Structure formats: structure tokens, C-alpha cells
Amino acid sequence: MAPSTRVFRLVGAAFAIAAAAMLPWLAVLSRTLPTSTRAHHWSLAWVGFDLLLALGLATTGVLAWRRHRGVVVTATATATMLVVDAWFDVLTSAPGGDLDQALLLAGCCELPVAAGCLALGVAATRRLR
């Protein structure tokens, strides 16, 4: 049974309120977070994230191959992870060669593949009902 219009409206309003409630928190963070920090388990965090990204790409590929409608979810999640990866790679890179490499990977790999994932999700939404 599909949820009623009222349920969708209530959920929509709750999400809008949650987004608005984050605004003061973002202001606090912008004033209180340090500009740099030393992170424990830095390598583990990045390797773990990239492992999850690889799993997202693989799962999306398998589901696309099988023409399974679940590809919409995995393609969207993988696109999101690729954009987040590009964002943090660029913003955490040291100026110079590291930043150049991060910008190159973002522009030539991560963001185009994210766009492809989103296009796949849209196409699958239209064709795999």
C-alpha cells in the first residue's frame, strides 16, 4: 500500500524543519572548528571510504547489468559518495602537486562518473518500472 499524500507532506515538512534547524549549528561550526587538525586513523578512514565506494561501483554495475530497479538506489548513493570524495580530496590537499592531482581526479574521474551514475539512475527510473 502506498503512503498517503498526508504522510508525504508530513515527512516533507519534517525534513524541511530539520534542514532549517541545522543552520544555527552550521554557524557555530564555522566559528569554532579549527582550520586544521591531526586525525588518528586517517589512512583507515580513507581506505574504508574508498572500499565502500568500490563496493558501490561494483553493486551498481551488477544491478545495471541485470537491469534491476535497485540500480537507482546504488547509482544515487555511489554518485553522492563520488562527489563527497572529490570534495574532501580537493579541500584536504596541500597546495601544489597534491591539489593539482586532486583537481585532476575530481574533474576527469570522480565528478564525471558521478554524473554518469545519476544519468543511469534517471534512465533506470524511466525504464525499469
Side-chain angles (χ1 to χ4, degrees), residues 77-101:
T78 302
T80 302
M81 290 183 70
L82 284 160
V83 171
V84 169
D85 193 23
W87 174 265
F88 282 101
D89 285 346
V90 169
L91 291 180
T92 61
S93 294
D98 287 345
L99 180 58
D100 294 342
Q101 180 182 6

PDB file of all heavy atoms in Angstrom, residues 77-101:
ATOM      1  N   ALA A  77      23.475   6.592  -4.525  1.00  0.00           N
ATOM      2  CA  ALA A  77      24.391   6.565  -3.383  1.00  0.00           C
ATOM      3  C   ALA A  77      25.844   6.654  -3.842  1.00  0.00           C
ATOM      4  O   ALA A  77      26.657   7.372  -3.246  1.00  0.00           O
ATOM      5  CB  ALA A  77      24.172   5.295  -2.561  1.00  0.00           C
ATOM      6  N   THR A  78      26.184   5.955  -4.905  1.00  0.00           N
ATOM      7  CA  THR A  78      27.555   5.981  -5.410  1.00  0.00           C
ATOM      8  C   THR A  78      27.898   7.357  -5.962  1.00  0.00           C
ATOM      9  O   THR A  78      29.009   7.860  -5.729  1.00  0.00           O
ATOM     10  CB  THR A  78      27.742   4.885  -6.471  1.00  0.00           C
ATOM     11  OG1 THR A  78      27.424   3.619  -5.879  1.00  0.00           O
ATOM     12  CG2 THR A  78      29.164   4.853  -6.989  1.00  0.00           C
ATOM     13  N   ALA A  79      26.975   7.993  -6.652  1.00  0.00           N
ATOM     14  CA  ALA A  79      27.211   9.358  -7.145  1.00  0.00           C
ATOM     15  C   ALA A  79      27.476  10.302  -5.982  1.00  0.00           C
ATOM     16  O   ALA A  79      28.391  11.131  -6.031  1.00  0.00           O
ATOM     17  CB  ALA A  79      26.006   9.842  -7.959  1.00  0.00           C
ATOM     18  N   THR A  80      26.697  10.166  -4.937  1.00  0.00           N
ATOM     19  CA  THR A  80      26.879  11.003  -3.754  1.00  0.00           C
ATOM     20  C   THR A  80      28.259  10.784  -3.152  1.00  0.00           C
ATOM     21  O   THR A  80      28.968  11.742  -2.817  1.00  0.00           O
ATOM     22  CB  THR A  80      25.787  10.703  -2.708  1.00  0.00           C
ATOM     23  OG1 THR A  80      24.509  10.930  -3.312  1.00  0.00           O
ATOM     24  CG2 THR A  80      25.948  11.563  -1.477  1.00  0.00           C
ATOM     25  N   MET A  81      28.660   9.526  -3.031  1.00  0.00           N
ATOM     26  CA  MET A  81      29.981   9.218  -2.469  1.00  0.00           C
ATOM     27  C   MET A  81      31.103   9.782  -3.343  1.00  0.00           C
ATOM     28  O   MET A  81      32.111  10.265  -2.829  1.00  0.00           O
ATOM     29  CB  MET A  81      30.143   7.712  -2.288  1.00  0.00           C
ATOM     30  CG  MET A  81      29.275   7.157  -1.180  1.00  0.00           C
ATOM     31  SD  MET A  81      29.541   5.400  -0.929  1.00  0.00           S
ATOM     32  CE  MET A  81      31.183   5.422  -0.222  1.00  0.00           C
ATOM     33  N   LEU A  82      30.942   9.720  -4.658  1.00  0.00           N
ATOM     34  CA  LEU A  82      31.964  10.263  -5.559  1.00  0.00           C
ATOM     35  C   LEU A  82      32.105  11.780  -5.395  1.00  0.00           C
ATOM     36  O   LEU A  82      33.218  12.310  -5.388  1.00  0.00           O
ATOM     37  CB  LEU A  82      31.628   9.911  -7.007  1.00  0.00           C
ATOM     38  CG  LEU A  82      31.914   8.466  -7.400  1.00  0.00           C
ATOM     39  CD1 LEU A  82      31.118   8.079  -8.643  1.00  0.00           C
ATOM     40  CD2 LEU A  82      33.407   8.260  -7.620  1.00  0.00           C
ATOM     41  N   VAL A  83      30.985  12.476  -5.257  1.00  0.00           N
ATOM     42  CA  VAL A  83      31.036  13.937  -5.048  1.00  0.00           C
ATOM     43  C   VAL A  83      31.689  14.250  -3.704  1.00  0.00           C
ATOM     44  O   VAL A  83      32.532  15.149  -3.607  1.00  0.00           O
ATOM     45  CB  VAL A  83      29.622  14.558  -5.160  1.00  0.00           C
ATOM     46  CG1 VAL A  83      29.633  16.017  -4.740  1.00  0.00           C
ATOM     47  CG2 VAL A  83      29.103  14.412  -6.590  1.00  0.00           C
ATOM     48  N   VAL A  84      31.325  13.509  -2.668  1.00  0.00           N
ATOM     49  CA  VAL A  84      31.934  13.711  -1.350  1.00  0.00           C
ATOM     50  C   VAL A  84      33.437  13.423  -1.408  1.00  0.00           C
ATOM     51  O   VAL A  84      34.247  14.166  -0.847  1.00  0.00           O
ATOM     52  CB  VAL A  84      31.236  12.827  -0.287  1.00  0.00           C
ATOM     53  CG1 VAL A  84      32.001  12.801   1.016  1.00  0.00           C
ATOM     54  CG2 VAL A  84      29.815  13.319  -0.058  1.00  0.00           C
ATOM     55  N   ASP A  85      33.822  12.369  -2.111  1.00  0.00           N
ATOM     56  CA  ASP A  85      35.236  12.027  -2.261  1.00  0.00           C
ATOM     57  C   ASP A  85      35.997  13.166  -2.938  1.00  0.00           C
ATOM     58  O   ASP A  85      37.059  13.586  -2.471  1.00  0.00           O
ATOM     59  CB  ASP A  85      35.370  10.733  -3.059  1.00  0.00           C
ATOM     60  CG  ASP A  85      36.759  10.126  -2.994  1.00  0.00           C
ATOM     61  OD1 ASP A  85      37.508  10.415  -2.028  1.00  0.00           O
ATOM     62  OD2 ASP A  85      37.099   9.337  -3.890  1.00  0.00           O
ATOM     63  N   ALA A  86      35.438  13.674  -4.028  1.00  0.00           N
ATOM     64  CA  ALA A  86      36.083  14.785  -4.732  1.00  0.00           C
ATOM     65  C   ALA A  86      36.201  16.007  -3.826  1.00  0.00           C
ATOM     66  O   ALA A  86      37.252  16.659  -3.758  1.00  0.00           O
ATOM     67  CB  ALA A  86      35.297  15.139  -5.998  1.00  0.00           C
ATOM     68  N   TRP A  87      35.121  16.326  -3.124  1.00  0.00           N
ATOM     69  CA  TRP A  87      35.094  17.487  -2.226  1.00  0.00           C
ATOM     70  C   TRP A  87      36.209  17.402  -1.182  1.00  0.00           C
ATOM     71  O   TRP A  87      36.997  18.326  -1.010  1.00  0.00           O
ATOM     72  CB  TRP A  87      33.723  17.541  -1.547  1.00  0.00           C
ATOM     73  CG  TRP A  87      33.551  18.592  -0.493  1.00  0.00           C
ATOM     74  CD1 TRP A  87      33.724  18.433   0.847  1.00  0.00           C
ATOM     75  CD2 TRP A  87      33.178  19.960  -0.672  1.00  0.00           C
ATOM     76  NE1 TRP A  87      33.470  19.608   1.515  1.00  0.00           N
ATOM     77  CE2 TRP A  87      33.136  20.569   0.598  1.00  0.00           C
ATOM     78  CE3 TRP A  87      32.867  20.719  -1.796  1.00  0.00           C
ATOM     79  CZ2 TRP A  87      32.801  21.892   0.774  1.00  0.00           C
ATOM     80  CZ3 TRP A  87      32.530  22.044  -1.609  1.00  0.00           C
ATOM     81  CH2 TRP A  87      32.502  22.618  -0.346  1.00  0.00           C
ATOM     82  N   PHE A  88      36.274  16.276  -0.476  1.00  0.00           N
ATOM     83  CA  PHE A  88      37.270  16.147   0.581  1.00  0.00           C
ATOM     84  C   PHE A  88      38.680  15.990   0.037  1.00  0.00           C
ATOM     85  O   PHE A  88      39.626  16.488   0.643  1.00  0.00           O
ATOM     86  CB  PHE A  88      36.901  15.014   1.549  1.00  0.00           C
ATOM     87  CG  PHE A  88      35.834  15.424   2.512  1.00  0.00           C
ATOM     88  CD1 PHE A  88      34.523  15.050   2.323  1.00  0.00           C
ATOM     89  CD2 PHE A  88      36.141  16.231   3.602  1.00  0.00           C
ATOM     90  CE1 PHE A  88      33.534  15.458   3.195  1.00  0.00           C
ATOM     91  CE2 PHE A  88      35.155  16.646   4.489  1.00  0.00           C
ATOM     92  CZ  PHE A  88      33.849  16.260   4.289  1.00  0.00           C
ATOM     93  N   ASP A  89      38.845  15.331  -1.105  1.00  0.00           N
ATOM     94  CA  ASP A  89      40.173  15.240  -1.707  1.00  0.00           C
ATOM     95  C   ASP A  89      40.716  16.627  -2.026  1.00  0.00           C
ATOM     96  O   ASP A  89      41.868  16.949  -1.721  1.00  0.00           O
ATOM     97  CB  ASP A  89      40.153  14.407  -2.996  1.00  0.00           C
ATOM     98  CG  ASP A  89      40.052  12.919  -2.757  1.00  0.00           C
ATOM     99  OD1 ASP A  89      40.250  12.478  -1.606  1.00  0.00           O
ATOM    100  OD2 ASP A  89      39.774  12.185  -3.722  1.00  0.00           O
ATOM    101  N   VAL A  90      39.892  17.456  -2.638  1.00  0.00           N
ATOM    102  CA  VAL A  90      40.331  18.802  -3.023  1.00  0.00           C
ATOM    103  C   VAL A  90      40.579  19.665  -1.788  1.00  0.00           C
ATOM    104  O   VAL A  90      41.603  20.340  -1.667  1.00  0.00           O
ATOM    105  CB  VAL A  90      39.311  19.464  -3.975  1.00  0.00           C
ATOM    106  CG1 VAL A  90      39.609  20.947  -4.169  1.00  0.00           C
ATOM    107  CG2 VAL A  90      39.297  18.728  -5.323  1.00  0.00           C
ATOM    108  N   LEU A  91      39.651  19.644  -0.836  1.00  0.00           N
ATOM    109  CA  LEU A  91      39.767  20.547   0.311  1.00  0.00           C
ATOM    110  C   LEU A  91      40.824  20.126   1.325  1.00  0.00           C
ATOM    111  O   LEU A  91      41.262  20.956   2.124  1.00  0.00           O
ATOM    112  CB  LEU A  91      38.416  20.701   1.005  1.00  0.00           C
ATOM    113  CG  LEU A  91      37.384  21.469   0.185  1.00  0.00           C
ATOM    114  CD1 LEU A  91      36.075  21.583   0.948  1.00  0.00           C
ATOM    115  CD2 LEU A  91      37.894  22.843  -0.206  1.00  0.00           C
ATOM    116  N   THR A  92      41.232  18.854   1.309  1.00  0.00           N
ATOM    117  CA  THR A  92      42.250  18.416   2.269  1.00  0.00           C
ATOM    118  C   THR A  92      43.634  18.283   1.622  1.00  0.00           C
ATOM    119  O   THR A  92      44.574  17.859   2.290  1.00  0.00           O
ATOM    120  CB  THR A  92      41.867  17.073   2.932  1.00  0.00           C
ATOM    121  OG1 THR A  92      41.746  16.061   1.932  1.00  0.00           O
ATOM    122  CG2 THR A  92      40.575  17.214   3.724  1.00  0.00           C
ATOM    123  N   SER A  93      43.765  18.637   0.355  1.00  0.00           N
ATOM    124  CA  SER A  93      45.049  18.524  -0.328  1.00  0.00           C
ATOM    125  C   SER A  93      45.934  19.730  -0.039  1.00  0.00           C
ATOM    126  O   SER A  93      45.453  20.862   0.038  1.00  0.00           O
ATOM    127  CB  SER A  93      44.847  18.421  -1.841  1.00  0.00           C
ATOM    128  OG  SER A  93      44.192  17.226  -2.161  1.00  0.00           O
ATOM    129  N   ALA A  94      47.220  19.448   0.073  1.00  0.00           N
ATOM    130  CA  ALA A  94      48.194  20.526   0.242  1.00  0.00           C
ATOM    131  C   ALA A  94      48.329  21.276  -1.083  1.00  0.00           C
ATOM    132  O   ALA A  94      48.191  20.683  -2.156  1.00  0.00           O
ATOM    133  CB  ALA A  94      49.546  19.936   0.658  1.00  0.00           C
ATOM    134  N   PRO A  95      48.601  22.580  -1.012  1.00  0.00           N
ATOM    135  CA  PRO A  95      48.800  23.345  -2.251  1.00  0.00           C
ATOM    136  C   PRO A  95      49.939  22.751  -3.074  1.00  0.00           C
ATOM    137  O   PRO A  95      50.859  22.145  -2.535  1.00  0.00           O
ATOM    138  CB  PRO A  95      49.165  24.747  -1.747  1.00  0.00           C
ATOM    139  CG  PRO A  95      48.634  24.810  -0.347  1.00  0.00           C
ATOM    140  CD  PRO A  95      48.721  23.413   0.183  1.00  0.00           C
ATOM    141  N   GLY A  96      49.847  22.911  -4.363  1.00  0.00           N
ATOM    142  CA  GLY A  96      50.893  22.398  -5.242  1.00  0.00           C
ATOM    143  C   GLY A  96      50.456  21.121  -5.931  1.00  0.00           C
ATOM    144  O   GLY A  96      49.300  20.974  -6.346  1.00  0.00           O
ATOM    145  N   GLY A  97      51.368  20.165  -6.001  1.00  0.00           N
ATOM    146  CA  GLY A  97      51.119  18.926  -6.723  1.00  0.00           C
ATOM    147  C   GLY A  97      49.958  18.117  -6.190  1.00  0.00           C
ATOM    148  O   GLY A  97      49.188  17.536  -6.963  1.00  0.00           O
ATOM    149  N   ASP A  98      49.811  18.064  -4.864  1.00  0.00           N
ATOM    150  CA  ASP A  98      48.692  17.315  -4.276  1.00  0.00           C
ATOM    151  C   ASP A  98      47.350  17.905  -4.690  1.00  0.00           C
ATOM    152  O   ASP A  98      46.430  17.173  -5.057  1.00  0.00           O
ATOM    153  CB  ASP A  98      48.785  17.300  -2.746  1.00  0.00           C
ATOM    154  CG  ASP A  98      49.883  16.399  -2.222  1.00  0.00           C
ATOM    155  OD1 ASP A  98      50.400  15.571  -3.004  1.00  0.00           O
ATOM    156  OD2 ASP A  98      50.216  16.525  -1.030  1.00  0.00           O
ATOM    157  N   LEU A  99      47.243  19.208  -4.630  1.00  0.00           N
ATOM    158  CA  LEU A  99      45.997  19.867  -5.021  1.00  0.00           C
ATOM    159  C   LEU A  99      45.745  19.703  -6.512  1.00  0.00           C
ATOM    160  O   LEU A  99      44.616  19.438  -6.931  1.00  0.00           O
ATOM    161  CB  LEU A  99      46.027  21.352  -4.639  1.00  0.00           C
ATOM    162  CG  LEU A  99      44.786  22.159  -5.001  1.00  0.00           C
ATOM    163  CD1 LEU A  99      43.533  21.564  -4.358  1.00  0.00           C
ATOM    164  CD2 LEU A  99      44.969  23.613  -4.594  1.00  0.00           C
ATOM    165  N   ASP A 100      46.804  19.833  -7.308  1.00  0.00           N
ATOM    166  CA  ASP A 100      46.654  19.648  -8.757  1.00  0.00           C
ATOM    167  C   ASP A 100      46.126  18.250  -9.074  1.00  0.00           C
ATOM    168  O   ASP A 100      45.234  18.078  -9.903  1.00  0.00           O
ATOM    169  CB  ASP A 100      47.978  19.872  -9.479  1.00  0.00           C
ATOM    170  CG  ASP A 100      48.456  21.318  -9.396  1.00  0.00           C
ATOM    171  OD1 ASP A 100      47.634  22.208  -9.095  1.00  0.00           O
ATOM    172  OD2 ASP A 100      49.659  21.542  -9.625  1.00  0.00           O
ATOM    173  N   GLN A 101      46.679  17.252  -8.404  1.00  0.00           N
ATOM    174  CA  GLN A 101      46.244  15.872  -8.618  1.00  0.00           C
ATOM    175  C   GLN A 101      44.784  15.698  -8.186  1.00  0.00           C
ATOM    176  O   GLN A 101      44.002  15.053  -8.887  1.00  0.00           O
ATOM    177  CB  GLN A 101      47.130  14.899  -7.852  1.00  0.00           C
ATOM    178  CG  GLN A 101      46.734  13.451  -8.039  1.00  0.00           C
ATOM    179  CD  GLN A 101      47.609  12.498  -7.231  1.00  0.00           C
ATOM    180  OE1 GLN A 101      48.451  12.909  -6.442  1.00  0.00           O
ATOM    181  NE2 GLN A 101      47.388  11.218  -7.427  1.00  0.00           N
TER     182      GLN A 101
END
